[in-house]
Amino acid sequence: MKKIVALMAVAFAFAVPLGGCNMMKGAGQDIQKGGEKVEDAAKRRQ
């Protein structure tokens, strides 16, 4: 469980700055896509 939380934190830390050029709507979409990738990675680890 700790590994999944750490993976999510790292993914979030990288996703936010990479999407920083977008406005609020674009940033929200970028965060959502980052969250989907974290979910996919967590499902593969199970």
Side-chain angles (χ1 to χ4, degrees):
M1 185 67 179
K2 289 182 182 180
K3 290 180 182 180
I4 293 173
V5 172
L7 177 64
M8 290 173 60
V10 169
F12 184 75
F14 281 105
V16 172
L18 291 175
C21 296
N22 295 326
M23 298 304 280
M24 292 303 286
K25 180 179 178 183
Q29 291 171 345
D30 291 339
I31 292 170
Q32 182 177 7
K33 288 179 185 177
E36 290 170 359
K37 292 196 182 288
V38 170
E39 283 182 14
D40 292 340
K43 287 179 183 176
R44 281 185 264 141
R45 302 262 317 166
Q46 292 180 348

